[in-house]
Amino acid sequence: TAVADLAREHGDVPLHLDGARLWHAAAYLDEPLDKLAAPAATVSVCLSKALGAPAGSVLVGDAKIVAYRGRRLRKLLGGGMRQAGVLAAAGMVALDDQLPVVGQDAARALRLWAGLRDLGAPFEVDADNPPQTNLVYFTVDAPTTAEDPDWLPRFCAERGVQFLRVGANRFRMVTHHQVDDAGVDRALSTLREALDNWPAA
């Protein structure tokens, strides 16, 4: 709301909300989507992030803005598609089936974060900031990450657990509708196995 107040102070500048993670924010805060989006003139939400659709985003706002600016700009930028109904159908399934349970992703991310915290060194999480969405970040403080920074994700991928390195020794794990409680347990078990097989410095 602070950004919205600033926009109003400068002559009612229209505010756009990039709502790629709006679903998770609403679930975490236990607030309705329309309340969180209220300060914005337009909102975009992603149907593939968290909801499992193969592609697709939705632009929400005043009918005139969507019709005359959103659709026009989409065409100008080459965003038109034929036979888009196939993707739209997948988007409807995402909204009907996945949105009601999206909060489970954040709950499982919290379990994953707590498990990483409990594993201890060389894994490090921000103990004061548990995840609020489905993204879990952690660092590895070990010589291996300097010598072969992809050793850990490679070791885990060979055992069916995939995640990304997003920095020299920083990694990101993501929970989603295809990761159940057993998947979280498997990820933590694989990380424990990595500890037992850690290369000598």
Side-chain angles (χ1 to χ4, degrees):
T1 57
V3 175
D5 292 341
L6 184 64
R8 279 192 291 270
E9 289 172 10
H10 288 77
D12 249 354
V13 176
L15 181 67
H16 175 73
L17 172 62
D18 178 356
R21 303 283 172 188
L22 186 60
W23 317 120
H24 286 110
Y28 178 81
L29 297 170
D30 194 23
E31 295 281 4
L33 291 166
D34 57 351
K35 181 178 179 181
L36 294 181
T42 55
V43 181
S44 63
V45 287
C46 183
L47 301 178
S48 60
K49 290 178 181 173
L51 298 191
S57 293
V58 178
L59 177 65
V60 182
D62 179 89
K64 288 184 178 180
I65 294 176
V66 173
Y68 295 110
R69 302 195 73 179
R71 289 178 181 163
R72 182 171 178 272
L73 285 173
R74 183 193 64 186
K75 279 190 173 289
L76 285 172
L77 296 173
M81 285 185 65
R82 297 187 64 194
Q83 291 86 36
V86 176
L87 284 178
M92 291 175 69
V93 171
L95 291 171
D96 290 341
D97 295 350
Q98 300 305 324
L99 182 56
V101 295
V102 74
Q104 295 176 7
D105 294 342
R108 291 185 176 113
L110 188 59
R111 278 192 60 221
L112 186 57
W113 170 87
L116 280 160
R117 180 197 59 199
D118 294 343
L119 281 174
F123 303 117
E124 297 179 358
V125 296
D126 187 343
D128 296 324
N129 291 293
Q132 298 179 11
T133 66
N134 63 328
L135 304 178
V136 179
Y137 290 90
F138 67 98
T139 57
V140 176
D141 184 15
T144 302
T145 54
E147 297 166 9
D148 183 5
D150 290 315
W151 178 84
L152 179 63
R154 187 170 62 248
F155 177 92
C156 293
E158 290 169 354
R159 289 152 181 81
V161 176
Q162 296 184 334
F163 54 91
L164 293 175
R165 179 168 63 87
V166 293
N169 65 337
R170 184 172 164 84
F171 302 88
R172 184 183 78 175
M173 288 183 154
V174 181
T175 57
H176 51 80
H177 73 286
Q178 292 177 310
V179 177
D180 56 13
D181 290 332
V184 173
D185 293 337
R186 181 181 178 185
L188 292 171
S189 175
T190 302
L191 289 170
R192 289 190 197 96
E193 185 182 350
L195 284 177
D196 294 337
N197 291 274
W198 209 267

